[in-house]
Amino acid sequence: MKSDPTFLRDLHVGAEFDAQLCMNCGTCTALCPLGIELMPRKLFRRALLGDREGVLGQKDTIYSCLLCRLCEANCPAGVHIAENVRTLRVALNRELFGLAEA
Amino acid sequence: MPIPIDSTLGMLADNLRKRRSALPMGRRTRLAWTKGLGIPRGGETVLYTGQMWQMVPAINAMSRQLAKYENSRFSGVFRLARSVNRFVNLTPFLARTRAKERAVANARLRNVARLLRAAGVTFGYLYEDDLYAGTLAHDEGLDQGFARHARFVYSVLKAHGVQRVITVDPHTTNMLRTVYPKLIPGYALEVRSYLEVLAESTLPTPRPVDKSVTLHDSCVYARSEGVLEQPRKLLTGGGVRLSEPELSGKLTFCCGGPLETLFPGRSGEIARARVEQLRRASPNIVTACPLCFANLSRAAPDQVDVRDISDYLTEAYVPAEA
Ligand code: SF4
Ligand code: SF4
């Protein structure tokens, strides 16, 4: 994994990006209707570590989230999981698809 | 081949910018439901559909089309479609709607208007200025286009002097009540879902609906907008017997609708799983969101009846001649 210290800044994370609160308990993964192993704790960890390639490479996972917030309703750390996923979509739209202005 | 994310989101962004909708429809399609209702134009309190029910027949038609493409090798088709769609609105060609589905969608909006009248609520309507709220662009992270659109929608509402909006679906409620205020300084609009308005109003004595049903809470109503008690109160007040499914209220399970555009296969799997959970409680499923209705009814087998809550409420509370 290559760590890119500018990645988090480039995500333009706002006040609602609070992935650092995640304590990696796995509740979200256990409840998610999609049952995706990667969602969302590993994804957040990668983003926080500045793993740009690791995050951008998870395109399908990031766009698969239903933003249904079942995970959030049960997250013991109160992480804004859906809003964090949306923030990653904003970054992917810009970095992969050239849809920054869209 | 999976649905290409870039072309699909690009098309969505183009539609929102050029035609101010995710699935742009003609005026007649959007306004057919108002025929004969005589709802006054404008006013301080307006009923706001956000075009969501009107989109359901087009969403169903798109879904029938996408099912053909999801596992084929036609990625070029999407690229071409995005280029052409910049100049010509492709929605009517890609989404050939069915008359029966249009009639069902329009009937739901008529239900809502008649219910509000039965409850003595006075409201107007913005007709061609009843605009899509931009949910899909927001959810897919098209933030700039979404912010532009939200500001436009708000300016139109303000130009009409609207102070209070009565919404029909959870997504429009969530956009106008929770998301827009974060983007628009000085935002001043009171937003209530018609279910909230009805639950607080004095409704006519119901003709009891003798039926056992189960309610599918929409994720957005349940977890973002706190609309949980109102549908239950209105249904049981109308004589409907309610059994709760395995996951309900704040712990409700998604209908799969949000994945319809990019991952129709997964979307269908989630919808089928949810239908199974619900039918264990009752084969009569009640939804309170046009997208939940579209996705669950598509996934439901023949023995399962999926209906919108406004059907039952109309049966219970709207006098026959209204
Ligand atoms: S439930 Fe919350 S704290 Fe637990 S892993 Fe998921 S995001 Fe992290
Ligand atoms: S919001 Fe996304 S990650 Fe959380 S439960 Fe729903 S689909 Fe899974």
Side-chain angles (χ1 to χ4, degrees):
Chain A
M1 188 202 98
K2 213 170 84 201
S3 179
D4 176 349
T6 61
F7 183 54
L8 262 190
R9 192 195 61 211
D10 292 352
L11 278 177
H12 296 294
V13 294
E16 301 215 36
F17 193 81
D18 58 2
Q20 71 286 350
L21 297 178
C22 167
M23 49 198 198
N24 229 339
C25 69
T27 306
C28 48
T29 308
L31 290 170
C32 179
L34 288 151
I36 310 166
E37 174 53 20
L38 219 124
M39 285 288 260
R41 58 202 164 116
K42 288 189 186 169
L43 208 50
F44 294 166
R45 210 47 59 193
R46 287 191 166 163
L48 293 167
L49 289 168
D51 181 6
R52 187 186 292 266
E53 301 309 313
V55 172
L56 299 185
Q58 291 300 323
K59 184 174 72 165
D60 280 4
T61 310
I62 292 171
Y63 288 95
S64 298
C65 172
L66 298 151
L67 307 183
C68 72
R69 302 178 64 212
L70 180 56
C71 52
E72 247 180 85
N74 293 277
C75 168
V79 178
H80 297 150
I81 302 172
E83 187 56 27
N84 291 349
V85 172
R86 235 186 47 77
T87 303
L88 296 178
R89 286 183 185 170
V90 177
L92 262 64
N93 287 344
R94 185 181 56 240
E95 304 220 355
L96 290 180
F97 305 144
L99 288 169
E101 303 293 310
Chain B
M1 177 212 80
I3 307 286
I5 299 175
D6 54 345
S7 312
T8 311
L9 295 189
M11 207 154 142
L12 166 64
D14 296 340
N15 273 343
L16 199 67
R17 190 175 50 242
K18 293 199 138 180
R19 308 184 183 101
R20 306 200 191 276
S21 183
L23 287 176
M25 294 163 288
R27 186 181 181 282
R28 265 184 47 203
T29 311
R30 281 187 282 129
L31 301 182
W33 72 273
T34 60
K35 202 167 166 227
L37 286 173
I39 309 175
R41 222 164 245 283
E44 285 188 1
T45 303
V46 295
L47 178 60
Y48 200 84
T49 76
Q51 304 179 10
M52 296 295 280
W53 268 113
Q54 295 92 318
M55 265 181 216
V56 166
I59 291 172
N60 286 340
M62 282 285 195
S63 150
R64 289 187 285 267
Q65 288 290 331
L66 287 175
K68 290 188 211 151
Y69 289 118
E70 192 179 20
N71 296 310
S72 71
R73 280 176 286 134
F74 286 123
S75 69
V77 171
F78 285 85
R79 235 144 251 133
L80 180 67
R82 185 185 174 193
S83 326
V84 175
N85 185 64
R86 287 207 175 106
F87 307 102
V88 186
N89 177 17
L90 280 185
T91 303
F93 302 100
L94 294 174
R96 284 175 179 278
T97 60
R98 292 182 177 164
K100 191 167 164 247
E101 292 176 351
R102 289 198 301 273
V104 167
N106 289 337
R108 267 67 197 258
L109 291 171
R110 298 173 69 80
N111 285 345
V112 173
R114 292 164 74 212
L115 280 159
L116 288 168
R117 280 184 173 163
V121 179
T122 313
F123 58 91
Y125 184 58
L126 297 181
Y127 292 84
E128 37 290 290
D129 281 344
D130 173 12
L131 301 172
Y132 175 60
T135 311
L136 194 54
H138 170 263
D139 289 358
E140 299 296 14
L142 296 166
D143 274 13
Q144 294 213 21
F146 171 71
R148 226 175 7 241
H149 183 75
R151 286 192 293 269
F152 179 76
V153 170
Y154 184 64
S155 73
V156 169
L157 284 162
K158 285 291 124 179
H160 282 285
V162 174
Q163 315 250 354
R164 277 170 302 275
V165 165
I166 303 173
T167 50
V168 177
D169 74 282
H171 296 276
T172 307
T173 312
N174 178 240
M175 288 297 120
L176 297 185
R177 180 153 81 188
T178 307
V179 178
Y180 280 22
K182 293 183 197 158
L183 293 173
I184 302 171
Y187 190 83
L189 204 60
E190 186 191 311
V191 181
R192 316 274 288 150
S193 142
Y194 82 97
L195 294 171
E196 293 171 300
V197 174
L198 291 180
E200 286 163 13
S201 311
T202 314
L203 283 156
T205 313
R207 276 162 299 153
V209 180
D210 181 22
K211 197 112 189 216
S212 296
V213 305
T214 187
L215 177 69
H216 165 74
D217 285 289
S218 114
C219 298
V220 176
Y221 266 158
R223 285 191 276 269
S224 301
E225 297 302 322
V227 180
L228 290 162
E229 290 316 313
Q230 296 86 344
R232 290 173 170 78
K233 179 182 159 188
L234 292 165
L235 283 169
T236 52
V240 176
R241 290 177 301 279
L242 200 58
S243 15
E244 296 289 346
E246 192 181 313
L247 291 164
S248 78
K250 274 208 179 320
L251 296 184
T252 187
F253 192 86
C254 186
C255 69
L259 288 191
E260 186 55 50
T261 329
L262 295 177
F263 303 94
R266 288 310 280 283
S267 173
E269 281 166 30
I270 294 168
R272 284 190 290 281
R274 182 54 172 164
V275 167
E276 272 316 304
Q277 292 169 13
L278 290 158
R279 76 185 289 188
R280 283 198 286 273
S282 166
N284 300 314
I285 298 173
V286 184
T287 56
C289 165
L291 303 182
C292 296
F293 172 79
N295 231 42
L296 294 181
S297 54
R298 220 181 296 124
D302 288 347
Q303 316 84 289
V304 173
D305 179 48
V306 184
R307 280 206 227 171
D308 182 63
I309 186 169
S310 70
D311 291 355
Y312 289 109
L313 300 183
T314 301
E315 201 178 322
Y317 299 109
V318 177
E321 71 281 8

PDB file of all heavy atoms in Angstrom, chain B residues 113-123 166 197-198 201-204 317:
ATOM      1  N   ALA B 113     -54.194  14.146  -2.734  1.00  0.00           N
ATOM      2  CA  ALA B 113     -54.941  15.405  -2.804  1.00  0.00           C
ATOM      3  C   ALA B 113     -56.325  15.244  -2.160  1.00  0.00           C
ATOM      4  O   ALA B 113     -56.780  16.102  -1.394  1.00  0.00           O
ATOM      5  CB  ALA B 113     -55.071  15.851  -4.255  1.00  0.00           C
ATOM      6  N   ARG B 114     -56.985  14.141  -2.427  1.00  0.00           N
ATOM      7  CA  ARG B 114     -58.334  13.928  -1.876  1.00  0.00           C
ATOM      8  C   ARG B 114     -58.281  13.723  -0.364  1.00  0.00           C
ATOM      9  O   ARG B 114     -59.166  14.166   0.367  1.00  0.00           O
ATOM     10  CB  ARG B 114     -58.991  12.730  -2.568  1.00  0.00           C
ATOM     11  CG  ARG B 114     -59.313  13.033  -4.047  1.00  0.00           C
ATOM     12  CD  ARG B 114     -59.602  11.759  -4.820  1.00  0.00           C
ATOM     13  NE  ARG B 114     -60.907  11.204  -4.503  1.00  0.00           N
ATOM     14  CZ  ARG B 114     -61.188   9.898  -4.512  1.00  0.00           C
ATOM     15  NH1 ARG B 114     -60.240   9.017  -4.815  1.00  0.00           N
ATOM     16  NH2 ARG B 114     -62.390   9.476  -4.231  1.00  0.00           N
ATOM     17  N   LEU B 115     -57.244  13.045   0.120  1.00  0.00           N
ATOM     18  CA  LEU B 115     -57.103  12.848   1.569  1.00  0.00           C
ATOM     19  C   LEU B 115     -56.908  14.185   2.280  1.00  0.00           C
ATOM     20  O   LEU B 115     -57.516  14.450   3.315  1.00  0.00           O
ATOM     21  CB  LEU B 115     -55.916  11.920   1.870  1.00  0.00           C
ATOM     22  CG  LEU B 115     -56.200  10.427   1.705  1.00  0.00           C
ATOM     23  CD1 LEU B 115     -54.909   9.639   1.517  1.00  0.00           C
ATOM     24  CD2 LEU B 115     -56.966   9.904   2.927  1.00  0.00           C
ATOM     25  N   LEU B 116     -56.054  15.028   1.708  1.00  0.00           N
ATOM     26  CA  LEU B 116     -55.803  16.330   2.335  1.00  0.00           C
ATOM     27  C   LEU B 116     -57.095  17.146   2.372  1.00  0.00           C
ATOM     28  O   LEU B 116     -57.406  17.799   3.362  1.00  0.00           O
ATOM     29  CB  LEU B 116     -54.700  17.082   1.593  1.00  0.00           C
ATOM     30  CG  LEU B 116     -53.285  16.514   1.782  1.00  0.00           C
ATOM     31  CD1 LEU B 116     -52.312  17.135   0.779  1.00  0.00           C
ATOM     32  CD2 LEU B 116     -52.777  16.750   3.212  1.00  0.00           C
ATOM     33  N   ARG B 117     -57.845  17.078   1.285  1.00  0.00           N
ATOM     34  CA  ARG B 117     -59.126  17.801   1.262  1.00  0.00           C
ATOM     35  C   ARG B 117     -60.083  17.246   2.309  1.00  0.00           C
ATOM     36  O   ARG B 117     -60.750  18.010   3.007  1.00  0.00           O
ATOM     37  CB  ARG B 117     -59.766  17.690  -0.113  1.00  0.00           C
ATOM     38  CG  ARG B 117     -59.127  18.674  -1.063  1.00  0.00           C
ATOM     39  CD  ARG B 117     -59.816  18.645  -2.390  1.00  0.00           C
ATOM     40  NE  ARG B 117     -59.278  19.711  -3.220  1.00  0.00           N
ATOM     41  CZ  ARG B 117     -59.431  19.774  -4.536  1.00  0.00           C
ATOM     42  NH1 ARG B 117     -60.130  18.839  -5.151  1.00  0.00           N
ATOM     43  NH2 ARG B 117     -58.903  20.767  -5.214  1.00  0.00           N
ATOM     44  N   ALA B 118     -60.127  15.916   2.409  1.00  0.00           N
ATOM     45  CA  ALA B 118     -61.026  15.296   3.403  1.00  0.00           C
ATOM     46  C   ALA B 118     -60.643  15.747   4.811  1.00  0.00           C
ATOM     47  O   ALA B 118     -61.493  15.822   5.701  1.00  0.00           O
ATOM     48  CB  ALA B 118     -60.968  13.777   3.289  1.00  0.00           C
ATOM     49  N   ALA B 119     -59.351  16.042   5.007  1.00  0.00           N
ATOM     50  CA  ALA B 119     -58.886  16.475   6.332  1.00  0.00           C
ATOM     51  C   ALA B 119     -59.044  17.986   6.510  1.00  0.00           C
ATOM     52  O   ALA B 119     -58.628  18.540   7.531  1.00  0.00           O
ATOM     53  CB  ALA B 119     -57.432  16.071   6.524  1.00  0.00           C
ATOM     54  N   GLY B 120     -59.596  18.650   5.513  1.00  0.00           N
ATOM     55  CA  GLY B 120     -59.836  20.094   5.629  1.00  0.00           C
ATOM     56  C   GLY B 120     -58.597  20.954   5.405  1.00  0.00           C
ATOM     57  O   GLY B 120     -58.565  22.115   5.791  1.00  0.00           O
ATOM     58  N   VAL B 121     -57.566  20.386   4.784  1.00  0.00           N
ATOM     59  CA  VAL B 121     -56.330  21.141   4.541  1.00  0.00           C
ATOM     60  C   VAL B 121     -56.475  21.938   3.235  1.00  0.00           C
ATOM     61  O   VAL B 121     -56.916  21.396   2.220  1.00  0.00           O
ATOM     62  CB  VAL B 121     -55.116  20.187   4.435  1.00  0.00           C
ATOM     63  CG1 VAL B 121     -53.824  20.961   4.169  1.00  0.00           C
ATOM     64  CG2 VAL B 121     -54.990  19.333   5.680  1.00  0.00           C
ATOM     65  N   THR B 122     -56.110  23.211   3.274  1.00  0.00           N
ATOM     66  CA  THR B 122     -56.168  24.046   2.067  1.00  0.00           C
ATOM     67  C   THR B 122     -54.783  24.093   1.444  1.00  0.00           C
ATOM     68  O   THR B 122     -53.791  24.346   2.139  1.00  0.00           O
ATOM     69  CB  THR B 122     -56.583  25.490   2.437  1.00  0.00           C
ATOM     70  OG1 THR B 122     -57.715  25.398   3.301  1.00  0.00           O
ATOM     71  CG2 THR B 122     -56.927  26.304   1.207  1.00  0.00           C
ATOM     72  N   PHE B 123     -54.704  23.847   0.148  1.00  0.00           N
ATOM     73  CA  PHE B 123     -53.385  23.849  -0.511  1.00  0.00           C
ATOM     74  C   PHE B 123     -53.534  24.188  -1.984  1.00  0.00           C
ATOM     75  O   PHE B 123     -54.597  24.018  -2.570  1.00  0.00           O
ATOM     76  CB  PHE B 123     -52.692  22.485  -0.367  1.00  0.00           C
ATOM     77  CG  PHE B 123     -53.507  21.354  -0.943  1.00  0.00           C
ATOM     78  CD1 PHE B 123     -53.359  20.958  -2.274  1.00  0.00           C
ATOM     79  CD2 PHE B 123     -54.444  20.686  -0.172  1.00  0.00           C
ATOM     80  CE1 PHE B 123     -54.124  19.928  -2.814  1.00  0.00           C
ATOM     81  CE2 PHE B 123     -55.218  19.656  -0.699  1.00  0.00           C
ATOM     82  CZ  PHE B 123     -55.057  19.273  -2.025  1.00  0.00           C
ATOM     83  N   ILE B 166     -46.194  20.648   1.349  1.00  0.00           N
ATOM     84  CA  ILE B 166     -46.658  19.321   1.792  1.00  0.00           C
ATOM     85  C   ILE B 166     -46.131  18.313   0.780  1.00  0.00           C
ATOM     86  O   ILE B 166     -46.488  18.361  -0.402  1.00  0.00           O
ATOM     87  CB  ILE B 166     -48.197  19.241   1.873  1.00  0.00           C
ATOM     88  CG1 ILE B 166     -48.737  20.332   2.810  1.00  0.00           C
ATOM     89  CG2 ILE B 166     -48.635  17.856   2.336  1.00  0.00           C
ATOM     90  CD1 ILE B 166     -50.256  20.433   2.830  1.00  0.00           C
ATOM     91  N   VAL B 197     -49.056  15.592   8.076  1.00  0.00           N
ATOM     92  CA  VAL B 197     -50.169  16.548   8.074  1.00  0.00           C
ATOM     93  C   VAL B 197     -51.479  15.817   8.413  1.00  0.00           C
ATOM     94  O   VAL B 197     -52.247  16.267   9.268  1.00  0.00           O
ATOM     95  CB  VAL B 197     -50.271  17.270   6.707  1.00  0.00           C
ATOM     96  CG1 VAL B 197     -51.510  18.144   6.634  1.00  0.00           C
ATOM     97  CG2 VAL B 197     -49.017  18.103   6.453  1.00  0.00           C
ATOM     98  N   LEU B 198     -51.703  14.672   7.775  1.00  0.00           N
ATOM     99  CA  LEU B 198     -52.950  13.937   8.031  1.00  0.00           C
ATOM    100  C   LEU B 198     -53.030  13.457   9.473  1.00  0.00           C
ATOM    101  O   LEU B 198     -54.084  13.526  10.105  1.00  0.00           O
ATOM    102  CB  LEU B 198     -53.069  12.724   7.098  1.00  0.00           C
ATOM    103  CG  LEU B 198     -53.294  12.981   5.610  1.00  0.00           C
ATOM    104  CD1 LEU B 198     -53.382  11.649   4.872  1.00  0.00           C
ATOM    105  CD2 LEU B 198     -54.557  13.808   5.360  1.00  0.00           C
ATOM    106  N   SER B 201     -54.313  16.073  11.644  1.00  0.00           N
ATOM    107  CA  SER B 201     -55.593  16.686  11.295  1.00  0.00           C
ATOM    108  C   SER B 201     -56.754  15.866  11.833  1.00  0.00           C
ATOM    109  O   SER B 201     -56.580  14.731  12.273  1.00  0.00           O
ATOM    110  CB  SER B 201     -55.756  16.769   9.775  1.00  0.00           C
ATOM    111  OG  SER B 201     -54.611  17.312   9.198  1.00  0.00           O
ATOM    112  N   THR B 202     -57.924  16.472  11.758  1.00  0.00           N
ATOM    113  CA  THR B 202     -59.124  15.726  12.116  1.00  0.00           C
ATOM    114  C   THR B 202     -59.674  15.125  10.839  1.00  0.00           C
ATOM    115  O   THR B 202     -60.096  15.849   9.921  1.00  0.00           O
ATOM    116  CB  THR B 202     -60.181  16.672  12.736  1.00  0.00           C
ATOM    117  OG1 THR B 202     -59.499  17.494  13.685  1.00  0.00           O
ATOM    118  CG2 THR B 202     -61.284  15.897  13.399  1.00  0.00           C
ATOM    119  N   LEU B 203     -59.644  13.829  10.765  1.00  0.00           N
ATOM    120  CA  LEU B 203     -60.125  13.142   9.567  1.00  0.00           C
ATOM    121  C   LEU B 203     -61.577  12.726   9.751  1.00  0.00           C
ATOM    122  O   LEU B 203     -62.032  12.554  10.887  1.00  0.00           O
ATOM    123  CB  LEU B 203     -59.254  11.913   9.306  1.00  0.00           C
ATOM    124  CG  LEU B 203     -57.890  12.208   8.699  1.00  0.00           C
ATOM    125  CD1 LEU B 203     -56.894  11.103   8.996  1.00  0.00           C
ATOM    126  CD2 LEU B 203     -58.014  12.401   7.185  1.00  0.00           C
ATOM    127  N   PRO B 204     -62.308  12.554   8.666  1.00  0.00           N
ATOM    128  CA  PRO B 204     -63.690  12.092   8.807  1.00  0.00           C
ATOM    129  C   PRO B 204     -63.728  10.702   9.470  1.00  0.00           C
ATOM    130  O   PRO B 204     -62.736   9.970   9.405  1.00  0.00           O
ATOM    131  CB  PRO B 204     -64.183  11.982   7.359  1.00  0.00           C
ATOM    132  CG  PRO B 204     -63.159  12.620   6.511  1.00  0.00           C
ATOM    133  CD  PRO B 204     -61.895  12.702   7.279  1.00  0.00           C
ATOM    134  N   TYR B 317     -60.814   6.917   4.603  1.00  0.00           N
ATOM    135  CA  TYR B 317     -61.149   8.282   5.037  1.00  0.00           C
ATOM    136  C   TYR B 317     -61.783   9.200   3.996  1.00  0.00           C
ATOM    137  O   TYR B 317     -62.278  10.264   4.349  1.00  0.00           O
ATOM    138  CB  TYR B 317     -59.897   8.986   5.567  1.00  0.00           C
ATOM    139  CG  TYR B 317     -59.257   8.322   6.756  1.00  0.00           C
ATOM    140  CD1 TYR B 317     -58.042   7.655   6.631  1.00  0.00           C
ATOM    141  CD2 TYR B 317     -59.863   8.377   8.014  1.00  0.00           C
ATOM    142  CE1 TYR B 317     -57.442   7.049   7.725  1.00  0.00           C
ATOM    143  CE2 TYR B 317     -59.267   7.771   9.110  1.00  0.00           C
ATOM    144  CZ  TYR B 317     -58.052   7.107   8.962  1.00  0.00           C
ATOM    145  OH  TYR B 317     -57.463   6.513  10.042  1.00  0.00           O
TER     146      TYR B 317
END
